Amino acid sequence: MTRKKAHIISHSHWDREWFLPLESLRFRLVTLMDEVETLLDKEAGFNHFHMDGQMIMLEDYLAVKPAKREKMKQLVADGKLRIGPWYMLQDAFLTSGEANIRNLQYGLEMAEEFGQAEKIGYFPDTFGLYGQVPQLMRQAGFDTVVFGRGVNPTGFNNQVFDSAFASKYSEMFWESPDGSKVLGILLANWYSNGNEIPTDKEAAKIFWDKKLADVERFASTDEWLFMNGCDHQPVQTDLAEALEVARELYPEIDFIHSHFEKYQDAVKAGLEPEKLQTVHGELTSQQSDGWSTLANTASSRIYLKQANAKIERLLERLAEPISVMATEAGVSYPHEYLAFAWKLLMENQIHDSITGCSLDEVHREMEARFEKVEQTTMAIIQNAARKITEQIVTNDAGIPITVFHAGGLEATRTVELELETDAIHFSEMHFELIPDELAKLPEQSFRMETSTGEEIPVVVEPLGIHFNYDLPERKFRDSYFARKYKLTFTVEHLPAVGYQTIYAHPVAVSDDKKELTKDLQLENQYLKVEIAPNGTYSILDKEKVVEVKGLGAYEDVGDIGNEYMFKETGDNVRINTYNSKPVIRVLREDKLGKTIEMKHEIEIPVSASATFAEEKRRLVWHPDRTSHRSDNRTTFKITTELTLNKHDKQLTVRVKLDNQVDDHRLRVLLPTGKQTETHQAGSVFEVVTRTNKQVEEWTNPANDNRKQGFVTSGNIVVASLDLPEYEVSEQGDRLELTLLRAVSEIGDWGDFPAYEAECHREITAEFHVFLTDESNVNIPAQVNALLTPTFAIQHPSSSKEKMLAETKDFAKWKVADGLIFSAFKLAKDNQPILRFYQTASEPKLLNTVNLWRKSTILEETAGDAKNQFTVKPNEIITLKGV
């Protein structure tokens, strides 16, 4: 008979910022680590300390005590301090696939600098997990994950559900859509089930009788896990004594001060695989009452999600690819600076940060970080683009402009650029005289054309005379005044991953402006959009012969939940715009396309009623709150811009809000054109199919979900980077997209006001709508390209030797339908890295011109060099250049 073993793992789950700001918690962190060091050095029986799976915890400590670096390395090398694999503990659904990979790459890289990483997938408090976790872990060389949310071990009264999302045991197998499988260990009794172990025998007997029974209830082996710690928990300094007491009380059980690799090896040795269930795909507490899924963190402080999504795309689709392109101009790839930018962004991607569920002070600091990382990323982009354009061979007729694009598909895009002409430098004339000299010049406009002479439609807006300066590489700054123009133009046939050079030719100003029409519809060769008097609109897809009507109404509801979860007010007062009469006008109509503006004004309550403050003070759990909306009302203004340019296959919708109202949620309502039982949404390296109707155990009236990139139901596809929360009706005939959620507290375990979560600010939300007949497997790739930013730059004056082509496509590959472009960057050894993921239901071919080797997500090659790869369904494939 095997002996039962109690594995006690000392740790402190370190939310870097949450109910206290970063520096307040860092002070406690330094105290914690000093005590841990002393215990590991001097306390017999205290053998290991788990650093919560995230390297940023150690980085934050060393920022205060850099002299401790070598000591920390020694403790890691001795196996006492258990570090990695992540750089930080992220939110899974609100961070991109590439951000998740960088998190693991940089975390392992830092851990290896200290000696070794604990190679276990650790997700103690992630707010749900995407379905591709097992595949990513397998590619990183891990075969076990530990997680705290997403799967029910048992139901009420120990009922075991016959479900894909429930398990009889805390151990189970977890399988990705591609078939990758790992051992999953659920923290069924949470990551604090061995916290504060008593040293007093009587108290210890009471403690252990309960804790041992709780673990045995779920364990499938005789290896039992006890997590000695909790959120920001000080280390238990008398743990060795407490374990000696436990050994005396329970001589039949081995009490081991353990670590995760030892524990996982023991569990695997004792497993009876046939006893375990296999759970599949994403884990979001599907088999639950729906009140604690934390899904509504996707809409808390929506401005954070917008900033994060923007910078992720700047890094993934501009900074990294353009930096690869710049190596052909002799520019070194900025490995260190890109790592700096990614890590700075990751400080905002931690699961209590990007989710918007912390104190106001925390999120104010996040906004400053977002500004810093955007500045950093744009510096990388601008430098690489400038170096490239300095060496592009151009003709002498016109002002050269290069447009960069890395969406994975050839694209037609409308681009904006501020162009300068007629610069007069301070070295040429006294600066006080320059503006007057420039004002003497005749007005001008521009004609644009491709390098082969094809005309490009352009709209020109003069911006006047402006000061600017250059920062030459080898000289002091060079100041000047110049005339500036805003150019908006449409470029066709942009390379899938590359750049195209075009030309602006100064011409005389023509008086060809035409009066705006009063025709309140939008139409091009692909779509026709008609607007009803109440501001809803219909879209007809001429190619697919599909039409959906009644799109775009707004609905405002009261919200007495918190930053984690939405809870509608007890009176169920919902206010919509179906019977409104917005002011509708043509805002813009030119050779590029047309924009129609609608201005709604609706009367809504200013907040929840006065009883809500008492419910919060008494810590009433959000499902049990009943407060109504206030009787006091105010005017809430919504400005909508509908844009259809001549080459667009989608309608672009921009919504502008100035929110000064409390305790409410605003959504746009989008009929889908047909009823369905399921819908699909973009997620991390996959397109996931979700059921519209929830399980019987689900008691939450809401069924909110999270998306990345797009959601499609019936005949509509809604694409957006930075509006991650949506809901689809049970019948599948209506999709609701959250634009704003305004709440006033953190929630969770105490009374923590967070009034800035009411979002009293101007917010602009943008999304795209296009129609589908459900036969187009290219939707994910099309959305992926559509949501890719472009970068246009006017060529600098340069005396360098010209050696680069005017236009170049670096995409020397051909992909079948269903393969989605994800990354183009350089590995640490400066070999190119190319990544796709597969969304089709059958194997697809990836053909390349150059030779590549298949690689893991950690950029370690595995396989022969070749130029054709078969990619199986739902596979994430990374290639490394030869």
Side-chain angles (χ1 to χ4, degrees), residues 57 94 109 120 160 175 180 319 333 347 373 396 422 429 556-557 569 596 602 607 645 663 685 691 711 857 861 871:
M57 189 176 175
L94 297 177
E109 184 179 296
I120 187 165
V160 177
E175 190 171 23
S180 299
Y333 190 81
E347 290 187 48
V373 71
D396 295 328
D422 306 305
M429 182 183 296
D556 191 85
V557 305
T569 48
I596 292 177
I602 55 176
S607 65
N645 288 325
D663 313 324
F685 292 123
T691 58
V711 56
I857 60 169
T861 54
V871 190

Side-chain angles (χ1 to χ4, degrees), residues 115 169 221 275 284 330 452 463 585 590 661 774 780 836 872 879:
Y169 301 110
T221 74
K275 292 170 58 176
T284 56
T452 57
L463 299 178
R585 68 181 180 118
D590 52 44
V661 177
E774 298 186 353
F836 293 87
K872 65 182 181 180
L879 304 180

Side-chain angles (χ1 to χ4, degrees), residues 38-48 80 237-244 247 257:
T38 300
L39 287 170
L40 291 175
D41 269 348
K42 299 179 179 178
E43 182 70 21
F46 192 96
N47 305 314
H48 312 285
K80 295 181 177 182
T237 56
D238 60 357
L239 180 64
E241 179 185 354
L243 294 186
E244 284 301 323
R247 293 177 186 120
H257 195 217

Side-chain angles (χ1 to χ4, degrees), residues 151-175:
V151 172
N152 289 2
T154 61
F156 185 67
N157 282 338
N158 298 323
Q159 175 188 2
V160 177
F161 295 114
D162 182 16
S163 164
F165 309 114
S167 170
K168 182 178 181 181
Y169 301 110
S170 52
E171 298 80 34
M172 66 204 76
F173 295 114
W174 182 14
E175 190 171 23

